């Protein structure tokens, strides 16, 4: 009887740890900080857009952190067939780069594709 209680307690603890880890993974902040410049570059290094409005940059960071995300481990070849770009967030002490798929506006990190739907690659606007 004591073994059964110990086994059930161990299973409960393991399941709890896994669920808490998954919850944390899907809700942690991808990007944080106060940035004063955002530059979006295309595949060939061309500058698509430069933003210097701190409120607009903060809104983009908020969208990245709060939008739904899908786990996709990027082994370097996952998005090769799509036109992609780089978002470079900068301030005086820090520079952070995050990938963006230009056709659908989703943000890409090593482990996540985030459904942000940014219009940076759209030429119709």
């Amino acid at each position: 009887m004591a073994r059964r209680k110990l086994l059930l307690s161990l299973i409960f603890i393991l399941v709890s740890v896994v669920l808490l880890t998954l919850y944390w993974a899907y809700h942690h902040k991808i990007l944080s900080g106060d940035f004063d410049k955002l530059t979006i570059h295309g595949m060939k290094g061309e500058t698509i857009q430069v933003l210097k409005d701190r409120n607009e940059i903060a809104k983009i960071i908020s969208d990245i952190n709060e939008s739904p995300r899908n786990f996709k481990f990027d082994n370097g070849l996952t998005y090769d067939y799509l036109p992609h770009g780089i978002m470079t967030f900068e301030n005086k002490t820090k520079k952070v780069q995050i990938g963006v798929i230009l056709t659908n506006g989703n943000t890409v990190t090593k482990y996540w594709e985030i459904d942000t739907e940014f219009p940076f690659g759209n030429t119709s606007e």
Side-chain angles (χ1 to χ4, degrees), residues 82-121:
L82 294 171
H84 56 278
I86 299 290
M87 294 188 298
T88 305
F89 295 88
E90 298 178 70
N91 62 22
K92 293 180 182 180
T93 60
K94 193 161 132 179
K95 181 176 181 180
V96 178
Q97 294 184 320
I98 295 181
V100 62
I101 302 171
L102 296 176
T103 54
N104 62 12
N106 288 349
T107 307
V108 178
T109 66
K110 182 170 180 141
Y111 299 106
W112 302 105
E113 180 175 342
I114 306 165
D115 299 328
T116 49
E117 300 178 1
F118 292 134
F120 301 134

Side-chain angles (χ1 to χ4, degrees), residues 16-48:
S16 297
V17 167
V18 168
L19 290 176
L20 287 172
T21 303
L22 287 173
Y23 179 81
W24 173 84
Y26 278 91
H27 292 93
H28 81 283
K29 289 185 176 184
I30 300 289
L31 184 62
S32 63
D34 187 28
F35 297 98
D36 52 11
K37 183 178 177 185
L38 169 61
T39 307
I40 297 96
H41 295 283
M43 292 173 62
K44 298 174 184 165
E46 72 277 10
T47 301
I48 295 174

